[in-house]
Amino acid sequence: MPGSFDPITTGHVDIVYRALPLFDRIIIAIGVNSQKKSLFPLDQRLNWLKDLFADEPKVQVDHYEGLTLQYCRKIEAKYLIRGIRNAADFDYERTISQINHTVASELETVFFIARPHLSHVSSTIVRELILGNGDISHFVPAEILRHISPLSD
Amino acid sequence: MPGSFDPITTGHVDIVYRALPLFDRIIIAIGVNSQKKSLFPLDQRLNWLKDLFADEPKVQVDHYEGLTLQYCRKIEAKYLIRGIRNAADFDYERTISQINHTVASELETVFFIARPHLSHVSSTIVRELILGNGDISHFVPAEILRHISPLSD
Amino acid sequence: MPGSFDPITTGHVDIVYRALPLFDRIIIAIGVNSQKKSLFPLDQRLNWLKDLFADEPKVQVDHYEGLTLQYCRKIEAKYLIRGIRNAADFDYERTISQINHTVASELETVFFIARPHLSHVSSTIVRELILGNGDISHFVPAEILRHISPLSD
Amino acid sequence: MPGSFDPITTGHVDIVYRALPLFDRIIIAIGVNSQKKSLFPLDQRLNWLKDLFADEPKVQVDHYEGLTLQYCRKIEAKYLIRGIRNAADFDYERTISQINHTVASELETVFFIARPHLSHVSSTIVRELILGNGDISHFVPAEILRHISPLSD
Amino acid sequence: MPGSFDPITTGHVDIVYRALPLFDRIIIAIGVNSQKKSLFPLDQRLNWLKDLFADEPKVQVDHYEGLTLQYCRKIEAKYLIRGIRNAADFDYERTISQINHTVASELETVFFIARPHLSHVSSTIVRELILGNGDISHFVPAEILRHISPLSD
Amino acid sequence: MPGSFDPITTGHVDIVYRALPLFDRIIIAIGVNSQKKSLFPLDQRLNWLKDLFADEPKVQVDHYEGLTLQYCRKIEAKYLIRGIRNAADFDYERTISQINHTVASELETVFFIARPHLSHVSSTIVRELILGNGDISHFVPAEILRHISPLSD
């Protein structure tokens, strides 16, 4: 399950738990893009993921640079897990999944549609709320919230 | 994997094979709606499915009346498998999957996005082509094609 | 606020209460289309609406035949209230609101976007669940539910 | 340019005139579907089309039964002309144009996007307005309007 | 009615006048984002708004920094007014309105769908036309046009 | 046919060949935007286009700065040719084509919908694959591929 998780949201967590029974192992991997500045440093994001899923032996946390495709090949992942919230997500994910299929026919993407009460949650919105001192308590797991709150004081 | 499969298309077959490695067992179940007249009789559609997947021990074929939800409960299915081709499909599938989640929280839907060369294939189009004596050879598995061709003579 | 309310859902009720502070009077009007058979008779639908909003002096209940446009003219309504759940709703509502604007420039439509936990609720789905003996308790107001339950026994 | 033109709208007329400079000949062909009842009889629709384009030597009027694809082959048409108003139209037209490409690779579809002031005009809406005695004067060419008005008295 | 109004378009003006009968007071508020450079300075944009609505006692003009949500709380606004032109707008506005509902349940958003002849007008396009010396006379109120024209000489 | 062609893809090439029979002359023109950095220099992109269509006497290659609209006027082009892949493309192209119609009523846009097996190909994706050393052989014409490959070593 690739992403930037900047920061991880309640939407991401929900997708992980819904996908979990289907897989023997889920690797949550932070894609690092040196061009795009993140709000939270990689180390913090990795630690949050590890803490959140510390009790889930099937969940591993990792990070990678470069194409998701190539990372999947390296770790021999057979399925990408992605959540879709709305039509804009769908258009984007369709293109990416079809590219992956064309370039690496062995790599399959499995989609979960966000549950209604989470369909408006995104890391982008959370970052904007944080920068504007807004309330993010509905959008971020409680464990993470503790660490972010001081920032917005 | 519920549907009317009236008739089964190359699009359906592709989704089954893409989903297969992920599941121990896939039940392809024809939903029977006494209100909606089908082009092909139930028996023929069931036989086509059985023939097509005769060599796949993990695939079973069944049919049901009433709500997909209740059928899933009866057979204790935990995941629905669905393909999505375009934005209209997405809007429809999102509503259905969210309804299923609300009514039966234990029932999860897993989506696959149709591969590019199959994203325009649908049973509706195949039926229209058949009724108009059009060429359906790109849209229906070869095994089925043999049985349909005489109809369109 | 026009509609067929066949039956009224928790989604409809939410839109009424969100719109209420903005208007002096809201008329919930059931459009009767002699061509389209409804699941519940007009009288029952009217009574449900009256019961539900009995304590809201600003809400009136009515019904009409023919075009919504002409009904609005007759009762001198200046605003139509409509809810939008998804992109398919949006496309439909945009066309209708633009038609109304062209034909009757004085008639304005005001839209509310369904709240996340109600964005998958529709009368169509409720009718299907009822016909299939499914659980509709999340989608229909408790007052109505009492009257429908016996049907689904 | 295939369609049911039941009736022809100002939207259809606009597309014809926008496409005209691009082609040596445009055949406006009414597709007849014996299953679908039309509001106006075929003869009347054909006469309206002939009257409207009487002064355009490049425009011909015709009708056909069965698949549009096969009609195009018979008359050796190389391009289908279609208008798109909104995202729902787009999804539908994409599927059809891709089917046509797969079944008859020599048949190409050319699209024009409806101009803003015509993007909400459709035969379906016009039929509903006529049946409800609504004002259709913005949506139907003046020549046609004369013939329809008496109906709605 | 929040926005950057960089510059205000005929589309914005239309939404204000359509919403006006519904509200006792409309505050048009320019959101200032220090990260995003605007084409026109804040002062000029504020003056344009004040000039345009000088004769509308119900319209006030203001500006704010930070989250729209927090500004609404400060001025005790109960309704946000937003226009929607197309499906992309809709997806964006749905997410924002649902976020606002979750974070500040008392803040409601009311939507108007752009009228057909204004559904393609945007500040982004106007800015591009200005920078390329294009004709913006259909997209910007006449009063503003006078002030912008010299720039594009 | 305007674009940045950074680089040209198999999708672009397909649209050119599908449009070719319809026009006496097609000018493929690279729009140069001094603000937006391209991956490949203008000269290389121009040469690629010239090489690819060297045997097509009806195809010319050019470049321009500023608005596409004004370039079309200068060269007296009457039709813009554009491809559409998905709903997001459609929303964007609709706005642009309607703007062009409003500002320069004589400029018409003709659309082709991408064929299924090319509907996920874009210059953006190709650039990302190049930067990540991914395999672009399905997305770029063979003639161009030769020149790009060394870069990704």
Side-chain angles (χ1 to χ4, degrees), chain A residues 3-4 14 24 28 30 46 75 90 113 119 127 131 139-140:
Chain A
S4 21
D14 192 58
D24 295 329
I28 309 181
I30 300 182
L46 284 169
I75 64 165
F90 171 72
I113 293 183
S119 66
R127 286 197 302 273
L131 294 172
F139 309 128
V140 159

Side-chain angles (χ1 to χ4, degrees), chain E residues 9 11 26 36 50-51 55 106 128 144 150:
Chain E
T9 66
I26 290 182
K36 250 171 74 182
K50 283 174 192 158
D51 286 357
D55 298 337
E106 77 285 0
E128 273 180 43
I144 306 300

Side-chain angles (χ1 to χ4, degrees), chain D residues 64-119:
Chain D
Y64 64 97
E65 284 184 63
L67 297 177
T68 303
L69 254 172
Q70 290 168 333
Y71 173 70
C72 290
R73 266 190 193 148
K74 208 190 75 190
I75 63 165
E76 295 180 357
K78 289 200 187 61
Y79 287 90
L80 280 169
I81 301 169
R82 300 286 296 166
I84 300 187
R85 287 161 303 189
N86 54 34
D89 275 11
F90 171 72
D91 260 5
Y92 176 80
E93 294 292 343
R94 178 170 51 181
T95 299
I96 299 299
S97 81
Q98 294 182 340
I99 290 288
N100 288 343
H101 239 300
T102 308
V103 175
S105 62
E106 77 284 0
L107 183 61
E108 188 60 76
T109 311
V110 170
F111 294 96
F112 293 85
I113 293 184
R115 287 200 278 162
H117 68 286
L118 295 168
S119 66

